[in-house]
Amino acid sequence: MQEISKTYNAADWEDRLYKQWEESGYFNPDNLIEDGVIAPDAEPFSIVLPPPNVTGNLHIGHASMLAIEDIMVRYNRMQGKRTLWLPGADHAAIATQSKVEGILHKETGLTKHDLGREAFLKKVEDFAQSSHDTIAHQVRKMGSSIDWSREAYTLDENRNLSVRKAFKQMYDDGIIYRGDRIVNWDPKMQTTVSDDEIERKEEKTKFYYFQYGPFVISTARPETKFGDKHVVVHPSDNRYKQYAHGQQIELEWINGPITATILKDEAIDMEFGSGAMTITPWHDAIDFDIAQRHGLSKEQIIDFDGKLLPIAREFAGMDIHEAREKIVEKLQAKSLVVKIEDDYIHNIAINSRGGGIIEPQIKRQWFIDVNKTFVRDGKEVSLKQLMQTAVRSGGVEIIPERFKRTYFHWIDNLRDWCISRQIWYGHRIPVWYRGEEIYCGTKAPEGAGWEQDSDTLDTWFSSGLWTFSTLGWGFDEEKWQREKIYHPTSVLETGYDILFFWVARMILMSEYFLGEVPFKKAYLHGLVRDEQGRKMSKSLGNIIDPLDIIPEHGADALRLSLVIGSTPGNDIKLGAEKIVSFHNFTNKLWNIGRYVMTQSEATDTAPKAITAADHFICLRLDSVVNEVTRHLEQYNFSIAGETLRDFTWNEFADWYVEIHKIQKNDAVLRYVFETLLKLWHPFMPFVTEALWRQLRGEGVPLLMIEKWPKDIAHTTHFSGDIAAGFGHGTQPLITAVRNIRATYHIDPVKKVTITLIAPDSDFLTSQVGIIQKLARVEAIHILKEGADAPSQCAYVLIRDIKLYVHLEGILDVEKEKIRLQKELEQTKNYTLRIETQLGNQNFVSQAPEAIILKNKEELKKAQNKAKEIESHLANLL
């Protein structure tokens, strides 16, 4: 017998075990091959860690991601695959620079311009390194079996070379171009922002209707209207059929008389307002498109700091929000204000990275042309078409499938990707200028007088290369040739909220540069919400920090609470109660292990069934192995965990361990428990590795590299018939006796006598000892089918077995019948009252919905209770 501590203290094990895993080198698949753990030609399984932003600590959503990915990785490693989980971090240019700018201003009152580019970037790099170290610590605390030897950073020198190679190739191919286009400009951070980095925030504001010659136009932004010289209507709008396309009209406007031109364009929504609108091409994307179609000039009204330009005359230099009401006052003085709505609700665009309000502006920027065609495999295609085909053809499978519709909605409406940013932190655009000369290359041009483009690249440009730049592409051809066995990666696991930010960008980049998808599957997890379903936020005070949970409950409990109950693409609720319940389950597993180690002898003997319970538990284990394996292969992690938990607790602990105390079979006990440790290891790596060490000894190979269990039914002599006898006979008999005890309030200490009438008495006879011990039965009478039923009993039919629990001397059956009849009558009366209330239309129409739902729930409970009482009455003989 072995010694093992009475309780599992995660803090005593987790750091020590992680250090052993890391020092073993087995997070690196090369070492698994070198040490003969896996075959040299083993099937690869690869996954990249979505690189966390170096803007601070990991949150609970990252913990969910790490738990799910580690399950995938540990499972496939135990399957004998060449398993690589590649880590890294994202420089998150805008978010990181914004964070450091805020810290700098708060601590010193200085701006980045006060420090200068080099000194400021040094501060950003120091902050990023500190954040990286914190993140790496958190990733380890979660038990993530990551190959740290391959760690990458989206802004390190190797990735910079990859980025420059990619940019140059796209530039040379004419895919990257520089042009004047309308972009999302953030005056606060003084940079452009991509469409998918914008958040929409609801705002209540005023909505203005102005007289524009014979037309009434409407807007929430009168400050943009100084240069409006075109009014646009739909060609099918009969209200304006008297006006011709291109017709000019004279009218009074903000700064005096103007000549306006009427345009007809199908982009106009006839149902919105009057169906007529003026356009401001410089400050609205739709207006810009209309202007492009009709060859119109464009005039800037608002500068890049959010202030009005000289075209606004007396309002020039004013902040747009300050000027708005003053402009309306001027229009009112001219009798050009038709009406003002005070409670207009609309969405304003916010930079999700810096919080600034977006102001559309026309700027010279670098773009990726998603519609330009090029030849691929003899056919002309565009980037947009490659992105569509990758998913439509099944090259990338999106899990859950419903997100395919969302993906195509975004890709089908994709605009050219603006990849330049007016910030300092990030990959500098690899383009240099000297007078009219332009040079693009991976290295600076030779000669004097060259000046590099001051803009940096959108973070998603470097992140889009992540699945292959991390394997050597673009900076080490020898490494790439060696490592590209891992590409396409097997699966990308990430949040559904960045399906467009990152997933689509990676498909674009991989398809263009490699002619293949970046990953075969995209598994999208949901958001982690609090117990009430609310998004976690500082303002609500409901944020859960993984590093606060782990010291108290352990990483395994946190991992289980994030996985079980979670399904692909759906949000999950998490609260203290759920975490505590899995903490308790972790202790339950430890206590089972403690029993196995202290109450059984270690043996190398193959498991051999002796009792019916042995046959049952081993065949059930085979079934569980197959179920869990199938669910993991299908990415149903929650169902796999639930299957394991039910078997571990309800069948192994509650039944077989209790039976082992009566009928010992140490070989089966240990075999089942060791198999359970292997099955649980991807979910709960720490406690299972700790128990494995305790069970097998410190010198044995790590559980982490043990082979995944396979069913053994075909290699051993387990009987399905005997197992069925236990599962359909012994178990339900014991359960039925226990239920009768509870139903009729029989003293738990008091033993009862039972009679069994069944066609097969031999099997039941073999189970007498188990039934007596576990059901607290003093005597068992087993009779052949056709025997007379005893009286003064509680009766239950279990398949073809009739069970009679003798109540004489224990319970006055007649009095019990009277009690149950009275309880039944009360329950039915209560049911009738609720039914009458719910049938009253006046009540239903006036009562709050919550009251109606509560009454319906109460009715269902009462109806079920009545059925139970009727059953209890019927079973009293």
Side-chain angles (χ1 to χ4, degrees):
M1 304 296 179
Q2 297 159 268
E3 291 293 328
I4 179 173
S5 60
K6 289 184 177 181
T7 57
Y8 173 67
N9 185 357
D12 293 341
W13 288 94
E14 290 185 349
D15 290 345
R16 174 158 59 101
L17 287 174
Y18 195 89
K19 185 180 179 185
Q20 289 174 359
W21 290 331
E22 197 170 350
E23 290 177 350
S24 75
Y26 290 145
F27 290 168
N28 184 336
D30 299 341
N31 295 329
L32 292 172
I33 294 172
E34 188 177 324
D35 289 358
V37 177
I38 61 173
D41 61 348
E43 176 189 348
F45 177 87
S46 57
I47 182 171
V48 293
L49 174 73
N53 295 344
V54 288
T55 49
N57 299 345
L58 297 186
H59 52 66
I60 200 69
H62 290 111
S64 172
M65 170 190 76
L66 291 168
I68 292 169
E69 291 178 22
D70 199 40
I71 289 172
M72 296 182 192
V73 170
R74 289 182 184 270
Y75 165 70
N76 281 282
R77 187 184 292 119
M78 293 175 79
Q79 284 281 15
K81 294 181 183 178
R82 187 172 181 167
T83 304
L84 172 63
W85 188 7
L86 211 154
D90 196 320
H91 65 286
I94 291 180
T96 306
Q97 177 167 320
S98 174
K99 187 99 173 178
V100 176
E101 283 189 68
I103 293 170
L104 178 66
H105 187 266
K106 184 178 180 180
E107 292 180 352
T108 67
L110 300 175
T111 68
K112 63 183 180 183
H113 299 288
D114 295 326
L115 287 186
R117 186 165 189 147
E118 284 189 23
F120 176 74
L121 287 179
K122 179 65 170 64
K123 278 196 170 294
V124 178
E125 286 160 7
D126 290 345
F127 173 84
Q129 184 60 50
S130 175
S131 293
H132 161 271
D133 296 345
T134 300
I135 288 166
H137 172 68
Q138 290 178 300
V139 171
R140 286 178 166 89
K141 292 297 285 184
M142 283 296 296
S144 310
S145 56
I146 278 174
D147 183 0
W148 292 103
S149 70
R150 285 176 165 89
E151 186 179 12
Y153 181 46
T154 54
L155 197 57
D156 63 23
E157 186 55 37
N158 287 337
R159 259 43 63 183
N160 186 257
L161 289 171
S162 299
V163 163
R164 290 182 175 214
K165 176 181 177 177
F167 187 99
K168 176 172 171 51
Q169 186 172 327
M170 283 184 148
Y171 178 85
D172 291 344
D173 292 346
I175 298 296
I176 286 180
Y177 68 93
R178 198 179 187 212
D180 296 313
R181 295 286 184 276
I182 194 159
V183 296
N184 304 306
W185 178 257
D186 179 356
K188 177 183 173 185
M189 290 205 67
Q190 291 289 293
T191 184
T192 55
V193 179
S194 64
D195 290 343
D196 47 9
E197 289 176 312
I198 285 177
E199 290 179 355
R200 300 287 171 180
K201 182 180 177 183
E202 197 172 84
E203 178 191 63
K204 182 185 287 187
T205 188
K206 292 181 179 181
F207 196 64
Y208 306 92
Y209 293 81
F210 301 132
Q211 196 70 48
Y212 189 83
F215 301 94
V216 173
I217 64 166
S218 53
T219 183
R221 304 192 63 202
E223 65 273 12
T224 65
K225 296 298 175 183
F226 288 96
D228 287 12
K229 294 176 291 187
H230 298 86
V231 61
V232 192
V233 297
H234 196 281
S236 301
D237 196 331
N238 290 327
R239 290 172 293 182
Y240 307 113
K241 63 184 178 182
Q242 71 269 35
Y243 298 104
H245 177 75
Q247 179 180 340
Q248 292 188 327
I249 56 174
E250 303 296 324
L251 58 92
E252 179 67 24
W253 196 224
I254 305 173
N255 288 332
I258 64 168
T259 300
T261 303
I262 297 169
L263 299 176
K264 297 202 172 185
D265 193 290
E266 292 184 351
I268 300 302
D269 180 1
M270 290 187 285
E271 303 300 318
F272 183 77
S274 66
M277 60 176 268
T278 56
I279 58 172
T280 311
W282 199 284
H283 298 290
D284 185 275
I286 294 174
D287 295 3
F288 178 87
D289 289 343
I290 293 172
Q292 288 287 91
R293 280 197 294 276
H294 296 281
L296 309 179
S297 62
K298 307 167 188 75
E299 187 171 10
Q300 187 175 5
I301 311 300
I302 302 165
D303 70 12
F304 297 114
D305 294 317
K307 298 183 186 303
L308 289 167
L309 289 167
I311 188 175
R313 294 189 184 176
E314 70 266 33
F315 306 109
M318 291 180 66
D319 179 86
I320 55 176
H321 301 290
E322 177 191 352
R324 183 173 296 171
E325 286 303 315
K326 291 181 171 60
I327 296 166
V328 173
E329 287 173 9
K330 183 174 181 179
L331 286 165
Q332 283 175 323
K334 292 185 171 205
S335 300
L336 294 177
V337 177
V338 178
K339 66 175 180 175
I340 300 173
E341 293 178 359
D342 290 324
D343 297 321
Y344 177 66
I345 304 295
H346 72 148
N347 291 318
I348 57 171
I350 303 290
N351 177 3
S352 63
R353 301 299 189 188
I357 298 175
I358 296 301
E359 181 61 63
Q361 294 275 15
I362 295 175
K363 284 187 70 70
R364 177 156 290 188
Q365 299 288 318
W366 289 97
F367 294 87
I368 287 179
D369 192 333
V370 297
N371 294 300
K372 181 181 176 65
T373 59
F374 51 91
V375 177
R376 172 66 58 83
D377 297 330
K379 296 179 181 178
E380 283 204 349
V381 295
S382 66
L383 286 175
K384 183 185 287 189
Q385 289 169 330
L386 287 179
M387 296 167 81
Q388 292 164 331
T389 302
V391 174
R392 189 169 285 128
S393 68
V396 174
E397 178 190 353
I398 297 178
I399 304 170
E401 190 177 9
R402 71 176 186 272
F403 280 98
K404 282 174 65 174
R405 187 185 310 150
T406 314
Y407 176 86
F408 284 120
H409 174 76
W410 192 80
I411 299 301
D412 294 346
N413 295 284
L414 190 63
R415 292 171 175 263
D416 287 358
W417 175 13
C418 178
I419 56 172
S420 48
R421 298 289 180 270
Q422 290 66 52
I423 59 173
W424 291 352
Y425 187 56
H427 291 281
R428 195 99 171 253
I429 301 278
V431 172
W432 287 260
Y433 308 98
R434 186 169 64 182
E436 296 299 314
E437 292 181 85
I438 299 178
Y439 171 84
C440 175
T442 56
K443 296 179 181 178
E446 295 180 357
W450 290 98
E451 184 177 345
Q452 188 174 1
D453 196 307
S454 61
D455 286 357
T456 54
L457 281 166
D458 178 9
T459 296
W460 299 108
F461 189 97
S462 54
S463 299
L465 307 171
W466 191 242
T467 60
F468 52 101
S469 69
T470 49
L471 298 174
W473 185 90
F475 66 88
D476 188 334
E477 184 60 25
E478 184 180 331
K479 179 178 180 179
W480 168 240
Q481 292 303 320
R482 187 174 65 250
E483 301 271 85
K484 68 180 182 181
I485 188 175
Y486 297 112
H487 202 278
T489 56
S490 306
V491 60
L492 174 77
E493 192 283 333
T494 191
Y496 66 70
D497 53 329
I498 60 169
L499 176 63
F500 320 118
F501 282 103
W502 192 39
V503 175
R505 304 294 191 217
M506 285 194 286
I507 293 174
L508 182 155
M509 293 296 204
S510 185
E511 283 285 1
Y512 184 74
F513 292 110
L514 306 181
E516 65 183 20
V517 297
F519 35 78
K520 297 166 188 172
K521 299 179 190 293
Y523 177 100
L524 306 176
H525 67 251
L527 303 177
V528 181
R529 299 182 178 273
D530 70 9
E531 289 168 301
Q532 299 175 44
R534 301 175 301 177
K535 196 170 182 178
M536 294 190 182
S537 68
K538 288 181 181 178
S539 61
L540 293 173
N542 61 351
I543 289 178
I544 297 176
D545 185 338
L547 289 188
D548 290 339
I549 300 300
I550 290 171
E552 184 177 358
H553 299 291
D556 291 327
L558 178 58
R559 287 166 63 118
L560 284 181
S561 67
L562 289 166
V563 172
I564 295 182
S566 171
T567 53
N570 293 320
D571 296 347
I572 181 174
K573 294 179 182 179
L574 180 67
E577 187 177 339
K578 187 177 184 184
I579 297 168
V580 168
S581 73
F582 285 111
H583 181 178
N584 294 339
F585 180 76
T586 306
N587 286 329
K588 178 74 173 179
L589 190 66
W590 182 265
N591 289 332
I592 297 170
R594 188 165 177 270
Y595 173 82
V596 171
M597 283 177 257
T598 59
Q599 299 301 317
S600 68
E601 296 288 350
T603 176
D604 294 326
T605 308
K608 184 178 179 181
I610 299 171
T611 67
D614 296 337
H615 287 278
F616 172 79
I617 202 67
C618 287
L619 287 178
R620 277 293 297 126
L621 179 64
D622 272 6
S623 176
V624 167
V625 167
N626 290 329
E627 285 179 53
V628 170
T629 303
R630 184 178 74 254
H631 290 312
L632 290 177
E633 290 288 342
Q634 296 173 350
Y635 300 92
N636 294 322
F637 305 113
S638 177
I639 300 174
E642 289 163 10
T643 301
L644 264 178
R645 180 179 57 179
D646 289 345
F647 177 80
T648 303
W649 198 310
N650 298 332
E651 296 184 75
F652 184 61
D654 285 358
W655 285 99
Y656 190 76
V657 169
E658 293 305 310
I659 289 170
H660 180 268
K661 296 173 183 177
I662 304 165
Q663 299 175 336
K664 284 184 176 289
N665 187 334
D666 292 354
V668 168
L669 180 77
R670 289 199 169 223
Y671 163 71
V672 175
F673 185 64
E674 287 187 1
T675 303
L676 278 174
L677 291 182
K678 294 175 186 178
L679 294 172
W680 271 120
H681 183 70
F683 296 86
M684 310 169 70
F686 289 113
V687 70
T688 52
E689 190 76 73
L691 284 165
W692 186 259
R693 293 303 182 82
Q694 296 279 67
L695 195 67
R696 290 293 190 100
E698 285 290 334
V700 300
L702 295 165
L703 175 60
M704 180 181 78
I705 58 169
E706 282 290 319
K707 297 302 180 191
W708 185 255
K710 291 180 169 52
D711 67 76
I712 61 168
H714 63 287
T715 62
T716 52
H717 302 289
F718 296 127
S719 165
D721 290 339
I722 297 175
F726 182 86
H728 298 152
T730 311
Q731 261 191 326
L733 274 173
I734 294 168
T735 301
V737 174
R738 289 172 173 173
N739 288 342
I740 287 170
R741 283 177 164 280
T743 298
Y744 302 110
H745 309 295
I746 298 172
D747 188 341
V749 177
K750 198 166 187 65
K751 291 187 176 183
V752 296
T753 297
I754 66 173
T755 294
L756 302 175
I757 299 177
D760 180 10
S761 60
D762 292 341
F763 177 77
L764 291 176
T765 301
S766 72
Q767 301 298 294
V768 165
I770 295 295
I771 296 170
Q772 284 182 315
K773 288 280 188 181
L774 296 185
R776 295 197 58 76
V777 172
E778 186 170 25
I780 302 178
H781 306 297
I782 302 174
L783 307 177
K784 289 283 187 181
E785 184 69 38
D788 293 334
S791 59
Q792 296 289 300
C793 292
Y795 162 76
V796 175
L797 178 65
I798 302 164
R799 289 182 174 261
D800 56 358
I801 303 170
K802 296 173 183 176
L803 164 66
Y804 301 87
V805 177
H806 295 256
L807 300 177
E808 190 174 359
I810 296 175
L811 186 73
D812 187 321
V813 175
E814 293 307 316
K815 280 186 178 179
E816 182 65 12
K817 286 181 180 179
I818 293 169
R819 184 187 71 79
L820 289 172
Q821 286 282 10
K822 187 175 181 181
E823 188 177 356
L824 178 61
E825 187 178 342
Q826 290 172 341
T827 304
K828 285 187 172 181
N829 287 337
Y830 179 63
T831 302
L832 183 60
R833 284 201 303 273
I834 300 177
E835 286 175 336
T836 303
Q837 197 172 44
L838 289 173
N840 185 329
Q841 290 305 312
N842 288 334
F843 171 77
V844 172
S845 62
Q846 295 177 25
E849 186 178 352
I851 298 294
I852 302 295
L853 289 174
K854 185 179 179 182
N855 279 6
K856 287 181 178 179
E857 288 172 9
E858 289 294 320
L859 177 62
K860 191 173 182 180
K861 286 180 187 176
Q863 289 170 335
N864 289 336
K865 184 179 179 182
K867 288 179 182 177
E868 284 181 11
I869 298 169
E870 286 171 342
S871 175
H872 298 333
L873 273 167
N875 290 341
L876 282 176
L877 304 178

